[in-house]
Amino acid sequence: MEFRMDFLNCLDHDTSMKILRCLEDPSDLVRASYVSRYWRDFVIANGLCKQLCLSMFPHLLRVDCVIEPSCVMEKASEVGCSKFVEWETLKREHKAYAFLAQACLSFPFDDCIKDAISASSTDNYPEESICNTLRKGDRVGRRASYWSSKGQHKAAVPETLVYKLVADICVITEINIQPFQAYFQQGSPIYSAASVRFHLGHPKCPMDDTLGEPLDNCADDKFIWTYSSPEFPMAQESRLQNFKLPEPVVCIGGILQIELLRRVQRQEMDGLFYICVAHVQVKGRPLSSAFGVEILGPSGKFVLKALSSAPPSSPPPSLPEDDALYHGVPRHGLADLEQVVNGLGVGVLDEDWNSDDDEGADEMDDELAF
């Protein structure tokens, strides 16, 4: 009879952690938790899915706690044991973080702008409102469609545009901006900025879903910015210019600010510098169908609400190769785990598990369904 062993039972805690941390794809870590009851308990008790998710997306370090609105937690006095409550919390975090990590990598790309909130200045309102930047192109019928700043004598004066995103939690990968070319002016000048920078964050106070008319000069005192991008050069060309962030950013709170730096075009009519934008587009992965957030005051901490989860019969979707490379997530898989274990001289358990684990398979499916 062939001898079989579970190597995690034979290794010390630190070595087991080192091995399982070699799994850098969240779906592989979830599959590892299905190997046996001991593996499941080890993964959950040590918060491995949470650790992996936070290492992939550091902005999630601001999560204060995870809740499932559809589930009502019993009080510790009712269940009779605080350890039970602690274990239930660990299981809930295991499911939520495992699904969140995979959702950040695999949910479909979409346009993430919902509405315009404010512009630092507007030259002629409403004809040159920031709302015009939500439409594709630079014309609506025969009318020019664009936002224009007020004119300035100094080219160094910046401008900002603030937008509400489609979800309170989005993974943003790129922002596209089309400067406006004034085809109705002599020489058809292009009123671009010299460079651009992006800020992501959340409101200081809850915002209504109906934002009303965009305002001027309201960004700095109403929002907290938790991410700032590098400065990108902008070409003085009337085309949709792509600005890809160095890495995907999880925006918690659903607010984007575009900072337009340094003016390059002076208007011949009045000798003032202007910046004009025809269209703004934000690309990323909205997670509103699966997660919600509740900001906890000015601290920036937030409650992560797991609204839904993937059915257990559906394996997490895989990424295209180019997408995986961009997101910086090596697709190692369980085959690499076997190589690590073999390098330690430990035999790997084959597909026949202990009878105790087989008997608990259905229970594990219920607990890990996401």
Side-chain angles (χ1 to χ4, degrees), residues 187-248:
S188 299
I190 300 174
Y191 291 92
S192 68
S195 61
V196 62
R197 183 163 50 216
F198 307 105
H199 306 276
L200 296 168
H202 60 85
K204 290 183 179 179
C205 301
M207 297 180 63
D208 295 332
D209 289 337
T210 303
L211 298 176
E213 290 296 320
L215 303 174
D216 283 358
N217 299 313
C218 75
D220 290 337
D221 60 351
K222 290 189 176 182
F223 304 103
I224 295 175
W225 308 117
T226 57
Y227 169 82
S228 295
S229 77
E231 187 174 327
F232 298 91
M234 176 179 282
Q236 193 175 9
E237 300 175 5
S238 179
R239 58 178 175 83
L240 196 61
Q241 300 180 35
N242 175 261
F243 305 98
K244 188 174 247 185
L245 300 180
E247 59 185 8

Side-chain angles (χ1 to χ4, degrees), residues 313-365:
S313 58
S314 302
S318 59
L319 287 172
E321 289 301 323
D322 56 345
D323 201 22
L325 289 174
Y326 170 60
H327 284 280
V329 181
R331 301 180 55 79
H332 288 309
L334 288 173
D336 291 332
L337 177 61
E338 183 174 354
Q339 293 176 6
V340 172
V341 174
N342 289 338
L344 293 173
V346 180
V348 181
L349 197 65
D350 70 7
E351 296 181 356
D352 294 328
W353 312 117
N354 295 331
S355 58
D356 290 342
D357 293 328
D358 290 335
E359 292 173 1
D362 293 338
E363 182 182 346
M364 289 170 59
D365 285 345

Side-chain angles (χ1 to χ4, degrees), residues 130-149:
I130 183 179
C131 291
N132 294 332
T133 65
L134 301 176
R135 307 184 185 98
K136 292 183 179 180
D138 60 358
R139 303 189 193 191
V140 176
R142 294 186 176 183
R143 181 177 64 83
S145 176
Y146 62 97
W147 161 82
S148 174
S149 71

Side-chain angles (χ1 to χ4, degrees), residues 7 41 54 66 126 128 136 139 150 182 312 323 332 351 366:
F7 68 85
D41 291 350
L54 296 182
V66 176
E128 297 174 338
K136 292 183 179 180
R139 303 189 193 191
K150 290 185 180 296
D323 201 22
H332 288 309
E351 296 181 356
D366 293 336

Side-chain angles (χ1 to χ4, degrees), residues 118-121 130 147 158-162 219-220 257-260:
S118 70
S120 51
S121 72
I130 183 179
W147 161 82
E159 296 285 348
T160 58
L161 304 175
V162 181
D220 290 337
Q257 183 191 72
I258 298 176
E259 186 179 11
L260 300 159

Side-chain angles (χ1 to χ4, degrees), residues 155-318:
V157 177
E159 296 285 348
T160 58
L161 304 175
V162 181
Y163 297 90
K164 171 68 176 173
L165 302 182
V166 295
D168 286 336
I169 177 167
C170 296
V171 182
I172 304 302
T173 57
E174 61 186 67
I175 295 99
N176 303 318
I177 302 175
Q178 179 181 347
F180 178 69
Q181 181 172 18
Y183 55 86
F184 46 80
Q185 293 183 358
Q186 184 176 358
S188 299
I190 300 174
Y191 291 92
S192 68
S195 61
V196 62
R197 183 163 50 216
F198 307 105
H199 306 276
L200 296 168
H202 60 85
K204 290 183 179 179
C205 301
M207 297 180 63
D208 295 332
D209 289 337
T210 303
L211 298 176
E213 290 296 320
L215 303 174
D216 283 358
N217 299 313
C218 75
D220 290 337
D221 60 351
K222 290 189 176 182
F223 304 103
I224 295 175
W225 308 117
T226 57
Y227 169 82
S228 295
S229 77
E231 187 174 327
F232 298 91
M234 176 179 282
Q236 193 175 9
E237 300 175 5
S238 179
R239 58 178 175 83
L240 196 61
Q241 300 180 35
N242 175 261
F243 305 98
K244 188 174 247 185
L245 300 180
E247 59 185 8
V249 177
V250 178
C251 177
I252 305 298
I255 303 296
L256 164 71
Q257 183 191 72
I258 298 176
E259 186 179 11
L260 300 159
L261 303 169
R262 296 183 299 279
R263 302 156 190 253
V264 297
Q265 183 63 51
R266 192 192 299 267
Q267 182 173 253
E268 184 176 339
M269 184 184 305
D270 57 11
L272 300 179
F273 288 96
Y274 291 82
I275 299 178
C276 301
V277 173
H279 181 49
V280 172
Q281 185 182 74
V282 179
K283 288 295 186 180
R285 305 181 192 273
L287 306 184
S288 56
S289 62
F291 296 96
V293 298
E294 179 182 345
I295 306 296
L296 300 176
S299 67
K301 293 282 188 179
F302 65 94
V303 175
L304 179 66
K305 300 178 181 179
L307 305 178
S308 67
S309 56
S313 58
S314 302
S318 59

